[in-house]
Amino acid sequence: MSDATAQDFEARLSACPACDVVPLALHVAAKEVPGDVILSLPGIHCATCITDVERALRAHDGVKSARVNLTLRRVNIDAPGLTAAELIPVIERVGYEAHELDPSALSSTAAERQSRDLLMRLGVAGFAMMNVMILSVAVWSGADHATRDLFHWISGAIALPTVAFAGKPFFESAWRGLKHGRLGMDFPISLALVLASAMSVYETWHSGPHAYFDGVVSLCFFLLIGRYLDFRARAVARSAAEQLTALEVPRAIRLNGDLEEVVALADLAPGELVLVRPGARVPADGIVLTGHSEIDRSLLTGESLPVAAGPGLALSAGEVNLTGPLRMQVTAAGRDSSLSRLTELVAAAESARGHYTTLAQKASEFYTPVVHILALASFGYWFWSSGGDLRLAANIAAAVLIITCPCALGLAVPAVVTAASGRLFRKGLLIKDGTALERLAEVETVVFDKTGTLTMGTPQLISPASLPDDAAPVALALARVSSHPLSRALALGLGEAGVEAAGLTGLREVPGFGVEGRWQGIPVRLGRLGWAGEGESLGTAPASWLTIGNEPAIRIDFADRLRPGAESCIAQIRATGRRVLLLSGDTEAVVADTAARLGIPEWQAAMTPEEKAHRIAALRADGAQVLMVGDGLNDTAALAAASVAISPATALDAARVASDIVLLGHDLAPVAEALDVARRARKRIKENFAISGIYNIVAVPIALLGFATPLHAALAMSLSSITVTLNALRLR
Amino acid sequence: MSVVGFLIPVSLALGGLGLWGFIWSLRRNQYDDPKGDAERVLSSEWDDKPRPR
């Protein structure tokens, strides 16, 4: 990575994880190793999984090598000439889920290099610290004159190059801060490093008694630990967020006359013809030319009922085609599609979210001037009282800078955030942004979306037993033909009820309408109202109709399944006294039903995306800190408008980008846990600041009075850093 | 005192050896997958080759 990139990256510790990724992604060397396939394995967790996957892959023809990375849950396969599509079944056969990752969306190389760079500096500082400490112990135990000077010289010879190398991140960031007229934590750190090193060299030169080489190096070491933890927490989150993005390898099938070619989304232009296969996501905005199907719009609007699609219907990017192939003419693609426009909406709301001042920033804003004023004052006072003894004054000023060690401050937050993120990650929550925890701790109002968030977004057969005995086998046989969500739910429900499928002939699916066949010579149909039968529709829940010959049609009712853990999650959140709201774009009856089942007192139905965002803005205007949990495009503006946002991993890309925390599993229960952990994390951070504060109150006067020796500084520094880290670990 | 003259280079050399070892292992991607390494210990597969680059 070039220096410029490193700086770009360092400079962008913004609250928006996407912004952190963008510069990285731009600089990723697009050199693809030929035959290198990267697959995501979300389900692996142990030694057996690793062995199974690797063994299966190595046994496959054409695979040179395969190596699983459990930390990132990926497998790198070196298989020249093989594609991901050929390798995924190999892994699925041994029982693991595998997805293709889009290598262009993975900036792992740059992030890896960055993390390796930090680790290298950390290691160098660590080894230098050990060696300098050995020599310092000799000095502390009473070596003097020539021996002491020799030891000081050797320490200096180790410490100076180490500080130059290991302190680079601090110097760079302090310099950047200066250029922008900001004094962050890095400025006092750099000043302490430079001033103390210079003073120590001067003292050694004049065979003075005190040299702070050990303090300087251990300061570097402890601070780098904080930096590394901070970076690691962000890198894990970033790589997981990238994994999710990379899972959606964006491709479309373009039609050139009768020729089908697979192209990247970016290459689509308005006016071109595109084929949308059943089960695929609509790649761009367009108009259906031929074909009948049903369209799932739940991610865009929150409606749980599929919409019938036929020629002339306008489709938006991001909708899912369910039953039949559609030929579509593109009207807007790529950046102009409705999906991208919504993403821009998110960007606007993100900037409106404003800059959140973290506890660490508040602390450093207070800390930096105080330390500088103290050091300057002590310098001035000793210079004046000793009658112009520059050396003594500079020595004491350096001691003050070293002993007010920002280590504890620099470690206090990263250690806590790392411990808390690690704990939540094990529960299946991914913190994309370090400040999210602090914002989450202040939340007192929680807003949920319904479709896809509180519910799974997949229908479930309500009562298999309500079907007449002779109709159930027919329904099962018909349902097995189609991949429509309702058919699948029907087949699953009847299969679990132990129904045997009847023998049917002439089965065929009519895309957009249903399935028909013949049973003992009688025509039978399963499908939409109006095609498979006439009757009273309930209008609230999805339903399928079954007609056997000339008998009246039978209505088969489905309900959207609640997400596991939804009930306990809501109950837990309400038990802590927080206010819970349900805002949905779905119809009133369905929303009322869900709210009643979950015990949510406040709900609103049929909301447009803008209304949702306005509602949240209104809540925030009343001074409430709002957590929004949602998954669809219709939630993105609301997610961005909220103080904190959580979205499930199944959410649309735009929604995930707009949220701070991603829920990896199906279970909703971790959301309640996250609120609890966030509160405790905030408490730990404050405790850590208190520990640093108390220690500074004790140590600073000693330094100011000129009693501090390098031994005191080393002891105090290590003690405070270790206390802070141990306190953070109580969260694990 | 002459023993110090002998021991200082020894201690520096040992520290340098440790640092060299650390850098060597870092360059060989041995810190890329700490979780996986912890689990691989339990695997019965003889695995003596780091991931080829």
Side-chain angles (χ1 to χ4, degrees):
Chain A
M1 189 193 290
S2 69
D3 271 359
T5 329
Q7 284 181 13
D8 266 352
F9 177 69
E10 275 286 326
R12 285 173 175 275
L13 303 181
S14 56
C16 155
C19 310
D20 286 346
V21 176
V22 170
L24 270 180
L26 291 178
H27 290 284
V28 174
K31 277 196 309 225
E32 264 308 295
V33 189
D36 210 15
V37 178
I38 305 175
L39 300 179
S40 160
L41 305 167
I44 59 166
H45 59 274
C46 65
T48 322
C49 316
I50 296 177
T51 322
D52 284 353
V53 171
E54 288 185 355
R55 204 179 280 161
L57 284 168
R58 283 174 192 152
H60 191 71
D61 279 343
V63 177
K64 272 200 204 157
S65 72
R67 178 91 181 174
V68 171
N69 184 327
L70 188 64
T71 315
L72 299 173
R73 298 208 166 144
R74 288 179 198 166
V75 58
N76 286 42
I77 307 162
D78 184 14
L82 286 179
T83 60
E86 289 160 300
L87 291 164
I88 287 173
V90 177
I91 299 174
E92 281 175 346
R93 268 201 295 276
V94 284
Y96 297 97
E97 206 183 336
H99 303 283
E100 183 181 1
L101 285 176
D102 180 5
S104 65
L106 294 174
S107 64
S108 58
T109 42
E112 260 170 34
R113 224 172 298 153
Q114 184 85 9
S115 119
R116 189 173 294 191
D117 179 71
L118 265 177
L119 197 55
M120 179 73 92
R121 292 179 204 279
L122 179 64
V124 169
F127 279 99
M129 184 179 92
M130 292 181 221
N131 253 314
V132 172
M133 279 292 172
I134 291 173
L135 297 160
S136 297
V137 168
V139 175
W140 298 334
S141 10
D144 53 11
H145 308 307
T147 320
R148 181 190 60 209
D149 288 350
L150 171 70
F151 283 3
H152 276 173
W153 276 124
I154 299 172
S155 304
I158 299 171
L160 291 178
T162 303
V163 170
F165 176 68
K168 189 168 158 248
F170 308 114
F171 300 147
E172 274 181 351
S173 138
W175 177 242
R176 261 202 315 277
L178 269 185
K179 276 198 298 197
H180 294 272
R182 280 181 294 112
L183 288 186
M185 281 288 277
D186 290 322
F187 187 76
I189 292 169
S190 306
L191 190 70
L193 291 179
V194 173
L195 191 65
S197 306
M199 274 312 306
S200 307
V201 171
Y202 181 83
E203 283 293 299
T204 307
W205 194 273
H206 292 272
S207 58
H210 297 322
Y212 283 98
F213 290 123
D214 53 349
V216 174
V217 179
S218 40
L219 184 66
C220 265
F221 179 68
F222 287 131
L223 284 167
L224 279 168
I225 292 178
R227 278 296 149 97
Y228 184 65
L229 285 179
D230 206 29
F231 186 85
R232 266 277 308 278
R234 275 207 316 272
V236 167
R238 198 184 314 111
S239 77
E242 278 171 15
Q243 295 241 47
L244 291 171
T245 311
L247 282 179
E248 302 172 4
V249 183
R251 298 220 174 95
I253 305 166
R254 186 165 64 192
L255 298 171
N256 272 350
D258 288 338
L259 206 70
E260 291 181 13
E261 50 176 352
V262 176
V263 294
L265 275 195
D267 300 342
L268 281 182
E272 289 179 332
L273 293 188
V274 174
L275 177 70
V276 188
R277 292 222 167 95
R281 202 160 269 184
V282 178
D285 295 2
I287 291 174
V288 178
L289 295 179
T290 57
H292 285 273
S293 176
E294 285 181 77
I295 296 288
D296 177 0
R297 285 192 167 158
S298 61
L299 272 179
L300 272 77
T301 61
E303 289 169 77
S304 43
L305 280 177
V307 184
L313 183 83
L315 299 177
S316 303
E319 295 173 343
V320 180
N321 181 14
L322 291 175
T323 45
L326 293 172
R327 289 160 58 102
M328 167 184 111
Q329 184 164 30
V330 177
T331 53
R335 298 208 67 98
D336 307 326
S337 70
S338 49
L339 227 156
S340 303
R341 280 203 303 278
L342 264 156
T343 324
E344 279 158 27
L345 230 173
V346 172
E350 285 251 300
S351 57
R353 187 183 273 179
H355 186 68
Y356 181 80
T357 321
T358 60
L359 288 170
Q361 282 164 334
K362 282 180 196 153
S364 81
E365 272 164 22
F366 165 78
Y367 168 93
T368 311
V370 166
V371 168
H372 288 162
I373 288 165
L374 274 180
L376 198 66
S378 65
F379 179 85
Y381 170 78
W382 285 101
F383 189 69
W384 166 76
S385 70
S386 61
D389 187 345
L390 187 66
R391 181 173 156 192
L392 175 78
N395 245 322
I396 287 174
V400 169
L401 278 177
I402 283 270
I403 215 152
T404 51
C405 158
C407 318
L409 278 183
L411 267 173
V413 179
V416 171
V417 169
T418 306
S421 315
R423 179 179 172 153
L424 290 175
F425 189 70
R426 283 196 295 278
K427 296 263 178 221
L429 278 167
L430 189 77
I431 313 280
K432 278 167 50 179
D433 169 8
T435 65
L437 272 172
E438 288 185 38
R439 281 180 276 136
L440 198 59
E442 298 167 359
V443 162
E444 63 268 301
T445 309
V446 186
V447 177
F448 284 95
D449 161 55
K450 185 186 76 71
T451 319
T453 305
L454 287 174
T455 64
M456 292 293 289
T458 52
Q460 194 184 18
L461 183 62
I462 290 180
S463 54
S466 65
L467 274 176
D469 284 346
D470 58 341
V474 178
L476 179 58
L478 286 166
R480 279 189 180 165
V481 178
S482 163
S483 63
H484 190 283
L486 290 184
S487 302
R488 273 200 299 219
L490 180 60
L492 192 78
L494 291 176
E496 279 172 359
V499 175
E500 294 283 325
L504 299 191
T505 53
L507 279 169
R508 73 185 193 97
E509 182 168 14
V510 184
F513 294 97
V515 189
E516 61 183 0
R518 299 186 84 77
W519 176 57
Q520 298 171 355
I522 315 167
V524 287
R525 273 184 174 185
L526 172 75
R528 285 177 48 188
L529 183 70
W531 181 78
E534 298 296 335
E536 276 301 304
S537 95
L538 275 178
T540 60
S544 228
W545 297 79
L546 175 70
T547 316
I548 299 175
N550 297 326
E551 289 173 40
I554 304 162
R555 193 183 70 224
I556 305 171
D557 284 325
F558 298 86
D560 197 352
R561 206 153 33 125
L562 285 181
R563 207 177 255 274
E567 282 173 69
S568 64
C569 170
I570 304 275
Q572 267 184 43
I573 294 175
R574 292 198 62 203
T576 58
R578 292 183 177 92
R579 187 174 159 198
V580 180
L581 289 91
L582 174 59
L583 305 181
S584 173
D586 211 345
T587 52
E588 184 143 347
V590 185
V591 180
D593 175 55
T594 310
R597 274 201 286 175
L598 291 169
I600 301 176
E602 296 178 78
W603 53 269
Q604 215 173 327
M607 295 183 85
T608 62
E610 290 78 17
E611 281 173 346
K612 279 193 185 188
H614 283 317
R615 183 68 199 273
I616 286 186
L619 285 169
R620 286 193 71 186
D622 294 344
Q625 292 290 332
V626 184
L627 160 67
M628 168 84 199
V629 190
D631 75 320
L633 257 184
N634 58 329
D635 304 315
T636 44
L639 287 167
S643 334
V644 204
I646 299 183
S647 62
T650 48
L652 213 60
D653 201 21
R656 284 198 313 261
V657 168
S659 44
D660 310 289
I661 301 175
V662 176
L663 182 67
L664 295 172
H666 282 312
D667 200 329
L668 207 58
V671 173
E673 170 117 14
L675 287 163
D676 178 46
V677 170
R679 279 209 174 163
R680 273 186 296 168
R682 188 147 152 261
K683 215 170 105 200
R684 291 279 172 279
I685 290 174
K686 287 190 167 167
E687 278 169 11
N688 279 351
F689 284 159
I691 292 170
S692 316
I694 289 167
Y695 139 84
N696 271 322
I697 288 168
V698 174
V700 171
I702 297 176
L704 283 176
L705 296 173
F707 295 141
T709 64
L711 172 60
H712 292 144
L715 275 179
M717 208 193 291
S718 319
L719 203 67
S720 72
S721 296
I722 290 167
T723 328
V724 165
T725 312
L726 287 179
N727 188 42
L729 286 180
R730 285 164 59 202
L731 257 181
R732 281 184 73 87
Chain B
M1 254 344 256
S2 64
V3 75
V4 169
F6 171 70
L7 283 179
I8 286 174
V10 167
S11 89
L12 290 183
L14 283 175
L17 188 73
L19 181 60
W20 175 84
F22 170 76
I23 291 173
W24 176 87
S25 58
L26 184 70
R27 290 251 157 97
R28 294 235 168 343
N29 314 319
Q30 298 196 15
Y31 298 91
D32 283 5
D33 184 17
K35 256 196 212 151
D37 298 336
E39 292 286 350
R40 275 173 204 277
V41 172
L42 305 171
S43 144
S44 52
E45 292 252 317
W46 177 250
D47 176 17
D48 59 348
K49 285 199 280 294
R51 190 172 77 207
R53 273 274 166 183

